[in-house]
Amino acid sequence: MPLPGELDGLSKRVSNWGRWGDDDELGCGNLLTAASARRGAESVTSGRRVSLAVDLRNKGGIQVGQPPRRINPFITPTSLNERDEAAPGIWEGTDEIVTMSTCAGTHIDALAHVSYDGLLYNGFPTSTTTASGGATKLGAEKLPKIVTRGVLLDVTRVKGVAGLDEIEQGYAITGADLDEAAESAKVTVEPGDVVLVRTGEMRHYRNRQRGRYAMGVDALMPGLSVHSVEWMHRHDVAGAFADCYAYEVFPPSLPDWSDCLAVHLLHVRDMGLIQGQNWDLEDLSVECADAGQWTFLLAAVPEPLVGAASTPVAPVAVL
Amino acid sequence: MPLPGELDGLSKRVSNWGRWGDDDELGCGNLLTAASARRGAESVTSGRRVSLAVDLRNKGGIQVGQPPRRINPFITPTSLNERDEAAPGIWEGTDEIVTMSTCAGTHIDALAHVSYDGLLYNGFPTSTTTASGGATKLGAEKLPKIVTRGVLLDVTRVKGVAGLDEIEQGYAITGADLDEAAESAKVTVEPGDVVLVRTGEMRHYRNRQRGRYAMGVDALMPGLSVHSVEWMHRHDVAGAFADCYAYEVFPPSLPDWSDCLAVHLLHVRDMGLIQGQNWDLEDLSVECADAGQWTFLLAAVPEPLVGAASTPVAPVAVL
Amino acid sequence: MPLPGELDGLSKRVSNWGRWGDDDELGCGNLLTAASARRGAESVTSGRRVSLAVDLRNKGGIQVGQPPRRINPFITPTSLNERDEAAPGIWEGTDEIVTMSTCAGTHIDALAHVSYDGLLYNGFPTSTTTASGGATKLGAEKLPKIVTRGVLLDVTRVKGVAGLDEIEQGYAITGADLDEAAESAKVTVEPGDVVLVRTGEMRHYRNRQRGRYAMGVDALMPGLSVHSVEWMHRHDVAGAFADCYAYEVFPPSLPDWSDCLAVHLLHVRDMGLIQGQNWDLEDLSVECADAGQWTFLLAAVPEPLVGAASTPVAPVAVL
Amino acid sequence: MPLPGELDGLSKRVSNWGRWGDDDELGCGNLLTAASARRGAESVTSGRRVSLAVDLRNKGGIQVGQPPRRINPFITPTSLNERDEAAPGIWEGTDEIVTMSTCAGTHIDALAHVSYDGLLYNGFPTSTTTASGGATKLGAEKLPKIVTRGVLLDVTRVKGVAGLDEIEQGYAITGADLDEAAESAKVTVEPGDVVLVRTGEMRHYRNRQRGRYAMGVDALMPGLSVHSVEWMHRHDVAGAFADCYAYEVFPPSLPDWSDCLAVHLLHVRDMGLIQGQNWDLEDLSVECADAGQWTFLLAAVPEPLVGAASTPVAPVAVL
């Protein structure tokens, strides 16, 4: 089933299918070039590193059971200050196994993550993903190694609030909002940049309001919207990441919710845009404002989990 | 039990206990500064990105059963091109759980990883790590966010071989070898740099000789040795990573193997050096030689798995 | 540290250490004999089978997070209506992996489960259990294959209530209570019998009051007590199972809770009694009352998980 | 796609679809009655218990990697001789999580396990099984609680060999073979009985020849065949279990292997027969021969894993 009427047109306008060849699995990762990496390195001024990852923890982790079966990490030892019979001596070591949802914390969506109409990005059929083989196309190991110029679009700070939910619980970020933030920062977003869009939602998680963070107020949550998709396409950003749980605004734009998760579908499936959520932009917001600098080197290299539909990442900005 | 006699003296000479305070859990990560991050950014010339991570895969992954219970990732779906009842519309998505050893592939050791004499780095007792709580001290979430200047010490290429095992199966890398590589590269290693030491072992894994890679020939394998430890300490590097399975040479230096894993013990437990293995330096070796440049921006941010003794990392070098 | 004063005497009176040899790992499982199995078979009258297991389910399962990291089963597919390349033809199959706490649902405690003073049943040191090797002594694979005569001690029905918590939230079952139930049933409990003690707590879980079931009201919950331990010893029962979450009463008998989990310690560590909880005795209670028969064939064969401290069981009674 | 020609006729002859109603999910489990349970109990003579389960172990377990991703149990502690903060006192306990394939060892197939033509037993579509929900029809929790009369059909002992592979590597068991074993045992198989068919293959696993057990010699393995299916149907057995890895003979009966796993398909999908494999019948074979008794009480209650396609079982025979 195609997207509802008006969105179908949007889908066609932003589509990148075939742009980088019929076999392309890299999507907007193709926009990451040696030039964008150099631009990132040249953005470093003080050398200050700011982590954008939330700790991966079992107790108090981000996942609270929606959707069901998304789980925080369990770390269980297979060796606990013990030796291995095969290696004598005085040493003792600890080894362990981790079991977690690939999107448990700060993560990047593989392009195999979402679909509609039976097709993934670039027209690969959804049947290319199976339980036994995982995503044989567009899996997490195909994601780009992101080292580029990052741009913080601090929509929230620009509007003088701690979070967009202070303006409206289900605040839908538009292209105009993104322009406003870029202009305030005096930044011209360039092809191959990665934009970080701050909603302020992460403050709830940091305040230990886990349910509020993951499910909003009556399931209303601010985020990117169908009104920001063309902006992403127009600026040819390689990726766009957000500091909230669902990435995109709830409720969707159509009254019947028939466009639920439309931003995911347009970004990932139609554009091949690299996206992800649960990025912690709170410290970065302060650092950028203090430095008066909203561009930086962004290193965000996804774990190359073969066949996975999402994967953990520990991004860092260097100002 | 302390280290055997001669190593005990070495241990005392390289110890960093107390150097950054009695509560320090960051170890040589303290050597990573704004200046070293700037130095890394300034090392970028072409902007070429080189991945240093091996794919995390179940079939054909690095783990082959030694030590027992170290496992390659299992990625199992919790949703396979399906919708969530709570979200209507046309979208379909794939979610999954991964189960893996934290040191299954390219990884960084947390400082809680190894010990002797009942003590971890900086004197924390091993009892601070439990099955239920994991490493409450020195866990993976305490590891530094590595963005600094990286230096490839291509010991192997300098000697004109494809792998050090061509010279001797259990080739023990010495400080002199590291000096030779640095001099050949015309690099002065500085405090806060991270050195990548290439043994060439990774070519066996890339050639699908998994057993050879993980267990060598009759358990003989080249690697760092007790004769390179003081070099690390003298140069105050923040970290040292290698492209082999055990990190350090086998056999150990003493005939009775009583110093088994001594490099781990001296690096991790005594120095607080950040280390890890299964880093793929094959492409980097070629790129550096082609560019005539052995320094680069190194981004290697460990997954912040709370309480873990090791953690995956997807490092990237930008030349 | 030994048990508090008065319990220390009890411990000595009920101890079975050495009774079946210094190497014994079977505990009261030794009381299960060919004769007790025959007695079980001879108890069958109608042939009606009654399941005593709760379904092992992720959503709505028994575990609610206390103690932390006890988890309900996750069942994740490794093949979903798919074929294996190695096997052609028209078939399709589904395979999966389960991840769960061994005590997630209806289970039996291995004798390695609990200890005090550094010693497990029969004096094995707790160091015989390690992270890498599991329980090398007294693990779940050493548990007896239970097929014997079962006796329902329906303490709850005898007292005319739906649950002992109707009498008192933290109702402590005594030997006198057990005698009352046996007498009401006109049953003489014999060596090698297994007794099932009904508190009625399971009705809360069946009513979907999961928190109430697992944590009671203000952590008060009925169960077996230090006042029933000698009864178990005197009757030489092979095992005793209950239909509640903690098995034993909360609060403990001493004001400072220094005897917390004393029933576990006395049963498992001192007596080697086979015990377990989350057994669903609601249907059985009705069937026994309807049939006027409180003895039956009990088959409860634990999964032989090598080295585990608890293990799932799916018990069934045949009246 | 339907079964190949001649098997299609067999499929129709043995089908039980609709026999117990259009909604039936119990299949031949319906044949288990109070009468068959009584018959089982009445088979007990000496009271001797014989376990038919193999230990569930990581090292040396049955799974050797075919099919890929079937794994032996990993048992990892979440508490290792530790206390829970919420419970003071002197006790220490061990808790753990197990991760394993549901068919890792001795198991029963749920009726959702295999299909062809898009349909499961009784016509339920395969789409009733999803990654997120598991088997919503015919899952393991719907399997019958097996307590009935068991009959050992010791095809192997009757022929005077240690294993059928001594006669022919890919020995295909026929109805005539089963008749021969029953006649030798002087047993008349009755509706609701469960038959245990011994190939002798388990001796390879007991001899630590794991590869030989799991993959035979050049993938040739004895087992049940399309020539034994009508026998099962004619005798209306509730279940049939075997002591081999694949349950059925390899190679299949047709030269092009288009009937691969045909016995699974006919038993599970067409008949709704309860089946499973890796049952250890070696001890039972000796005990039955010694006692001159090939019928017994069989208790084999599957773990009620909601939505699973297979499930562990720890069966026991009581002679």
Short mmCIF file of all heavy atoms in Angstrom, two decimals, chain D residues 233-264:
data_model
loop_
_atom_site.label_atom_id
_atom_site.label_comp_id
_atom_site.label_asym_id
_atom_site.label_seq_id
_atom_site.Cartn_x
_atom_site.Cartn_y
_atom_site.Cartn_z
N HIS D 233 -0.42 -43.74 11.81
CA HIS D 233 -1.81 -43.33 11.67
C HIS D 233 -2.76 -44.49 12.01
O HIS D 233 -3.77 -44.32 12.70
CB HIS D 233 -2.06 -42.85 10.23
CG HIS D 233 -3.41 -42.25 10.05
ND1 HIS D 233 -4.40 -42.88 9.33
CD2 HIS D 233 -3.94 -41.09 10.50
CE1 HIS D 233 -5.49 -42.11 9.34
NE2 HIS D 233 -5.23 -41.01 10.04
N ARG D 234 -2.41 -45.67 11.54
CA ARG D 234 -3.27 -46.84 11.73
C ARG D 234 -3.41 -47.17 13.21
O ARG D 234 -4.48 -47.55 13.69
CB ARG D 234 -2.68 -48.01 10.97
CG ARG D 234 -3.59 -49.22 10.90
CD ARG D 234 -3.10 -50.22 9.85
NE ARG D 234 -1.76 -50.72 10.13
CZ ARG D 234 -0.68 -50.52 9.38
NH1 ARG D 234 -0.74 -49.78 8.27
NH2 ARG D 234 0.48 -51.03 9.72
N HIS D 235 -2.32 -46.98 13.96
CA HIS D 235 -2.36 -47.34 15.39
C HIS D 235 -2.83 -46.19 16.26
O HIS D 235 -2.96 -46.33 17.47
CB HIS D 235 -0.98 -47.80 15.86
CG HIS D 235 -0.61 -49.14 15.34
ND1 HIS D 235 -0.06 -49.35 14.08
CD2 HIS D 235 -0.76 -50.39 15.88
CE1 HIS D 235 0.15 -50.63 13.88
NE2 HIS D 235 -0.27 -51.29 14.95
N ASP D 236 -3.07 -45.04 15.65
CA ASP D 236 -3.55 -43.87 16.41
C ASP D 236 -2.70 -43.60 17.65
O ASP D 236 -3.23 -43.34 18.75
CB ASP D 236 -5.01 -44.08 16.82
CG ASP D 236 -5.94 -43.15 16.03
OD1 ASP D 236 -5.44 -42.24 15.32
OD2 ASP D 236 -7.17 -43.32 16.11
N VAL D 237 -1.40 -43.65 17.46
CA VAL D 237 -0.55 -43.29 18.59
C VAL D 237 -0.64 -41.78 18.81
O VAL D 237 -0.86 -41.01 17.87
CB VAL D 237 0.93 -43.71 18.35
CG1 VAL D 237 1.03 -45.22 18.28
CG2 VAL D 237 1.50 -43.05 17.12
N ALA D 238 -0.47 -41.36 20.04
CA ALA D 238 -0.51 -39.92 20.35
C ALA D 238 0.79 -39.25 19.95
O ALA D 238 0.81 -38.09 19.54
CB ALA D 238 -0.79 -39.70 21.83
N GLY D 239 1.87 -40.01 20.07
CA GLY D 239 3.17 -39.42 19.76
C GLY D 239 4.17 -40.49 19.40
O GLY D 239 3.98 -41.68 19.69
N ALA D 240 5.24 -40.04 18.74
CA ALA D 240 6.32 -40.95 18.37
C ALA D 240 7.63 -40.19 18.50
O ALA D 240 7.78 -39.12 17.91
CB ALA D 240 6.13 -41.46 16.94
N PHE D 241 8.56 -40.73 19.27
CA PHE D 241 9.82 -40.05 19.53
C PHE D 241 10.99 -40.95 19.16
O PHE D 241 10.85 -42.18 19.17
CB PHE D 241 9.90 -39.62 21.00
CG PHE D 241 8.78 -38.68 21.37
CD1 PHE D 241 7.58 -39.16 21.89
CD2 PHE D 241 8.91 -37.32 21.13
CE1 PHE D 241 6.54 -38.29 22.19
CE2 PHE D 241 7.86 -36.45 21.43
CZ PHE D 241 6.68 -36.94 21.96
N ALA D 242 12.10 -40.32 18.84
CA ALA D 242 13.24 -41.11 18.37
C ALA D 242 14.54 -40.64 19.01
O ALA D 242 14.64 -39.52 19.53
CB ALA D 242 13.34 -41.04 16.85
N ASP D 243 15.53 -41.49 18.93
CA ASP D 243 16.83 -41.27 19.59
C ASP D 243 17.90 -40.82 18.59
O ASP D 243 19.05 -41.22 18.71
CB ASP D 243 17.28 -42.57 20.28
CG ASP D 243 17.49 -43.70 19.27
OD1 ASP D 243 16.91 -43.64 18.16
OD2 ASP D 243 18.25 -44.63 19.59
N CYS D 244 17.48 -40.01 17.64
CA CYS D 244 18.44 -39.57 16.63
C CYS D 244 18.26 -38.07 16.39
O CYS D 244 17.34 -37.45 16.90
CB CYS D 244 18.28 -40.36 15.34
SG CYS D 244 16.60 -40.40 14.71
N TYR D 245 19.17 -37.51 15.61
CA TYR D 245 19.24 -36.05 15.49
C TYR D 245 18.16 -35.48 14.56
O TYR D 245 17.57 -34.46 14.85
CB TYR D 245 20.62 -35.64 14.98
CG TYR D 245 20.81 -34.15 14.93
CD1 TYR D 245 21.05 -33.44 16.10
CD2 TYR D 245 20.74 -33.46 13.73
CE1 TYR D 245 21.21 -32.07 16.08
CE2 TYR D 245 20.90 -32.08 13.71
CZ TYR D 245 21.13 -31.39 14.88
OH TYR D 245 21.28 -30.03 14.86
N ALA D 246 17.94 -36.18 13.43
CA ALA D 246 17.02 -35.61 12.43
C ALA D 246 15.63 -36.21 12.51
O ALA D 246 14.75 -35.80 11.76
CB ALA D 246 17.59 -35.80 11.03
N TYR D 247 15.45 -37.16 13.38
CA TYR D 247 14.18 -37.86 13.54
C TYR D 247 13.92 -38.81 12.38
O TYR D 247 13.66 -39.96 12.58
CB TYR D 247 13.03 -36.88 13.68
CG TYR D 247 11.70 -37.49 14.07
CD1 TYR D 247 11.51 -38.00 15.33
CD2 TYR D 247 10.65 -37.57 13.17
CE1 TYR D 247 10.30 -38.57 15.71
CE2 TYR D 247 9.43 -38.14 13.52
CZ TYR D 247 9.26 -38.63 14.79
OH TYR D 247 8.05 -39.19 15.16
N GLU D 248 14.05 -38.29 11.17
CA GLU D 248 13.73 -39.11 10.02
C GLU D 248 14.99 -39.44 9.22
O GLU D 248 16.04 -38.84 9.39
CB GLU D 248 12.71 -38.43 9.14
CG GLU D 248 13.15 -37.16 8.45
CD GLU D 248 11.96 -36.51 7.76
OE1 GLU D 248 11.17 -35.83 8.46
OE2 GLU D 248 11.82 -36.68 6.55
N VAL D 249 14.83 -40.45 8.38
CA VAL D 249 15.95 -40.98 7.61
C VAL D 249 16.48 -39.94 6.60
O VAL D 249 15.73 -39.14 6.07
CB VAL D 249 15.51 -42.26 6.86
CG1 VAL D 249 14.38 -41.95 5.88
CG2 VAL D 249 16.69 -42.92 6.17
N PHE D 250 17.79 -39.96 6.44
CA PHE D 250 18.42 -39.27 5.32
C PHE D 250 19.21 -40.31 4.53
O PHE D 250 19.93 -41.09 5.13
CB PHE D 250 19.36 -38.15 5.81
CG PHE D 250 18.66 -36.84 5.94
CD1 PHE D 250 17.95 -36.53 7.08
CD2 PHE D 250 18.67 -35.93 4.89
CE1 PHE D 250 17.28 -35.32 7.20
CE2 PHE D 250 18.01 -34.72 5.00
CZ PHE D 250 17.31 -34.41 6.15
N PRO D 251 19.13 -40.32 3.21
CA PRO D 251 18.42 -39.38 2.36
C PRO D 251 16.92 -39.64 2.34
O PRO D 251 16.48 -40.71 2.75
CB PRO D 251 19.01 -39.67 0.98
CG PRO D 251 19.33 -41.13 1.04
CD PRO D 251 19.77 -41.39 2.44
N PRO D 252 16.15 -38.67 1.85
CA PRO D 252 14.71 -38.86 1.65
C PRO D 252 14.47 -39.94 0.60
O PRO D 252 15.42 -40.48 0.01
CB PRO D 252 14.24 -37.49 1.14
CG PRO D 252 15.32 -36.53 1.48
CD PRO D 252 16.60 -37.32 1.45
N SER D 253 13.22 -40.25 0.35
CA SER D 253 12.90 -41.39 -0.53
C SER D 253 12.99 -41.06 -2.01
O SER D 253 13.23 -41.95 -2.82
CB SER D 253 11.51 -41.94 -0.19
OG SER D 253 10.53 -40.95 -0.44
N LEU D 254 12.81 -39.81 -2.39
CA LEU D 254 12.83 -39.46 -3.82
C LEU D 254 14.23 -39.01 -4.23
O LEU D 254 14.94 -38.36 -3.45
CB LEU D 254 11.81 -38.36 -4.11
CG LEU D 254 10.35 -38.73 -3.82
CD1 LEU D 254 9.43 -37.56 -4.14
CD2 LEU D 254 9.93 -39.97 -4.60
N PRO D 255 14.63 -39.35 -5.44
CA PRO D 255 16.01 -39.07 -5.89
C PRO D 255 16.36 -37.58 -5.86
O PRO D 255 17.50 -37.22 -5.61
CB PRO D 255 16.02 -39.61 -7.33
CG PRO D 255 14.87 -40.53 -7.44
CD PRO D 255 13.85 -40.06 -6.47
N ASP D 256 15.38 -36.74 -6.12
CA ASP D 256 15.69 -35.30 -6.17
C ASP D 256 15.53 -34.62 -4.81
O ASP D 256 15.61 -33.41 -4.72
CB ASP D 256 14.80 -34.60 -7.21
CG ASP D 256 13.33 -34.65 -6.81
OD1 ASP D 256 13.00 -35.31 -5.78
OD2 ASP D 256 12.52 -34.03 -7.51
N TRP D 257 15.32 -35.40 -3.77
CA TRP D 257 15.15 -34.87 -2.42
C TRP D 257 13.96 -33.90 -2.32
O TRP D 257 13.89 -33.10 -1.38
CB TRP D 257 16.43 -34.14 -1.95
CG TRP D 257 17.51 -35.04 -1.47
CD1 TRP D 257 17.92 -36.24 -2.01
CD2 TRP D 257 18.34 -34.85 -0.32
NE1 TRP D 257 18.94 -36.78 -1.30
CE2 TRP D 257 19.24 -35.95 -0.25
CE3 TRP D 257 18.43 -33.86 0.65
CZ2 TRP D 257 20.20 -36.07 0.76
CZ3 TRP D 257 19.38 -33.97 1.65
CH2 TRP D 257 20.26 -35.07 1.70
N SER D 258 13.05 -33.96 -3.29
CA SER D 258 11.93 -33.02 -3.24
C SER D 258 11.01 -33.35 -2.06
O SER D 258 10.16 -32.56 -1.69
CB SER D 258 11.14 -33.07 -4.55
OG SER D 258 10.66 -34.38 -4.79
N ASP D 259 11.22 -34.51 -1.48
CA ASP D 259 10.41 -34.88 -0.30
C ASP D 259 11.22 -34.76 0.98
O ASP D 259 10.96 -35.45 1.97
CB ASP D 259 9.87 -36.30 -0.45
CG ASP D 259 10.98 -37.34 -0.52
OD1 ASP D 259 12.12 -36.96 -0.92
OD2 ASP D 259 10.74 -38.50 -0.18
N CYS D 260 12.19 -33.90 0.97
CA CYS D 260 13.04 -33.70 2.14
C CYS D 260 12.19 -33.35 3.37
O CYS D 260 11.30 -32.49 3.29
CB CYS D 260 14.03 -32.58 1.84
SG CYS D 260 15.37 -32.48 3.02
N LEU D 261 12.44 -34.00 4.46
CA LEU D 261 11.69 -33.83 5.71
C LEU D 261 10.23 -34.22 5.59
O LEU D 261 9.38 -33.74 6.34
CB LEU D 261 11.82 -32.38 6.23
CG LEU D 261 13.22 -31.98 6.70
CD1 LEU D 261 13.19 -30.57 7.26
CD2 LEU D 261 13.73 -32.95 7.77
N ALA D 262 9.95 -35.13 4.66
CA ALA D 262 8.56 -35.54 4.43
C ALA D 262 7.92 -36.13 5.68
O ALA D 262 6.72 -35.95 5.92
CB ALA D 262 8.50 -36.55 3.28
N VAL D 263 8.69 -36.84 6.49
CA VAL D 263 8.10 -37.44 7.70
C VAL D 263 7.64 -36.34 8.64
O VAL D 263 6.54 -36.40 9.20
CB VAL D 263 9.09 -38.40 8.39
CG1 VAL D 263 8.49 -38.97 9.66
CG2 VAL D 263 9.49 -39.52 7.43
N HIS D 264 8.48 -35.31 8.82
CA HIS D 264 8.06 -34.16 9.62
C HIS D 264 6.74 -33.60 9.08
O HIS D 264 5.81 -33.32 9.85
CB HIS D 264 9.10 -33.04 9.55
CG HIS D 264 10.21 -33.15 10.54
ND1 HIS D 264 11.21 -34.09 10.46
CD2 HIS D 264 10.51 -32.40 11.66
CE1 HIS D 264 12.07 -33.92 11.47
NE2 HIS D 264 11.66 -32.91 12.21
#
